[in-house]
Amino acid sequence: MIHWHPLRRVAAVSSGALSVGAIALTALSPGCTYDPVPQATIDRLPEEEGEPSASHRPGEPCVACHSAYEGADPPLAIGGTVYTIDANGNLAGAPGVLVLVSDAEGDSRKACTNDSGNFFVEREKWPDPFFPLQVQAGSRTMQSIVGRDGSCASCHTLPNELSLDPVTGAGRSSAGVVLVDLADLGQCQGGS
Amino acid sequence: MRSRVRVTLGGGIAALAAIGTLLGTSLSACSGEEYLGRQDILCPDADLFKELVSPYMERRCATLDCHGAQARPLRLYTRFGQRHPAESNISGGNPTTEIELEANYAAVCGLEPEKMAEALSDLGQSAEELLLVSKPRDIVAHKGGAVILEGDSADLCIIAWIRQDPREEIERHCIPALEKVQ
């Protein structure tokens, strides 16, 4: 049974005075875990729509929150969203796509995308993947390796103001969303 | 063959001076006169870097979640990661361009320009002291951990280039290193 928790954000710091105070508190409080790098990623995320679930927040960097830092349950080793182009030429989540992730020591895990195109590998099922990783989604093999980030969406971003390809989101610093062919859909069942 | 690459030095001092001006404080020691401008520095062969060393680094180091990220030091450009802002290529699109190779060369040479020049002058004897070598070995703390092991093909690829070994020797290490990450 998986329990999904909403985001538990630590207090955002907006003023210089508060920043100084936060730094001081961080130094003095061993239990405080404020880290500006993951926190900046988390703070950029849009508000939750509906209830958290395995299908929530498609296209967002899963491991930013499902991590030891943010503490969303379950902790994930790998997580992402797979898309296809629908009949209207729009992005649509791709369900039933088999995703194979292999690490540098030859270990691997399989996952299956759910109704929103999300897939994930829980941390408890892969506590320490040895980076770099190689990924195959359906019949598509990733051109590059994954250096160290378990969130596919950190690099495979949804279309935004920086995108050069408005459909896939590809740009100077994004490979665009993970796209598969329609024939890749429905090849597995049951979500991750 | 040695090459000269032009990099900007002293920017941090200039930035400090600008902050000091904004604060209305006197920073006579950081007046901006110490800004060193663009300097020519010595670095190993540019063509060999672009042809043999950069392809490995592009594959192994320059992914968008590592040195292909804008916020990370030693920024590297590649077809498989970050694309150069002066061009309109997308990640995963056209092959790495000459501008990107030049930028990668400048990034590597400008990482520790004085130490790199020293490593050139001692024919690579001090190469292991360079961050370019010690960071990927994780001897100096590296966010990505030990991505290169001392003596493996990637390690020897970089060191052979710094040592200005013959092209065949650099190839002998760099090609297997690249094959492992393709």
Side-chain angles (χ1 to χ4, degrees), chain A residues 131-132 134 143-149 154-155 164-165 170-175, chain B residues 59-60 63-66 72 80-85 87-92 143:
Chain A
F131 285 83
Q134 293 181 307
Q143 290 187 57
S144 73
I145 55 178
V146 178
R148 65 183 185 85
D149 193 332
S154 294
C155 306
L164 296 175
D165 183 330
R172 293 184 181 89
S173 57
S174 169
Chain B
R59 281 285 192 173
R60 184 63 187 88
T63 53
L64 287 166
D65 55 351
C66 295
R72 193 149 294 281
F80 305 104
Q82 178 101 226
R83 305 312 303 255
H84 198 280
E87 300 174 313
S88 295
N89 292 308
I90 61 170
S91 182
K143 185 75 174 176

Side-chain angles (χ1 to χ4, degrees), chain B residues 109-174:
Chain B
C109 297
L111 185 61
E112 293 177 295
E114 295 86 0
K115 281 190 175 180
M116 179 64 90
E118 188 180 326
L120 253 72
S121 65
D122 65 22
L123 295 177
Q125 293 294 308
S126 60
E128 294 189 359
E129 295 172 19
L130 292 168
L131 289 176
L132 187 64
V133 174
S134 58
K135 273 271 187 177
R137 287 181 181 177
D138 204 25
I139 293 170
V140 174
H142 183 224
K143 185 75 174 176
V147 297
I148 286 178
L149 300 177
E150 183 176 350
D152 73 10
S153 54
D155 190 57
L156 296 173
C157 166
I158 295 168
I159 288 180
W161 172 68
I162 296 169
R163 209 164 45 202
Q164 304 166 83
D165 282 355
R167 175 193 186 82
E168 298 73 32
E169 184 66 10
I170 302 172
E171 270 181 345
R172 192 166 74 82
H173 301 302
C174 292

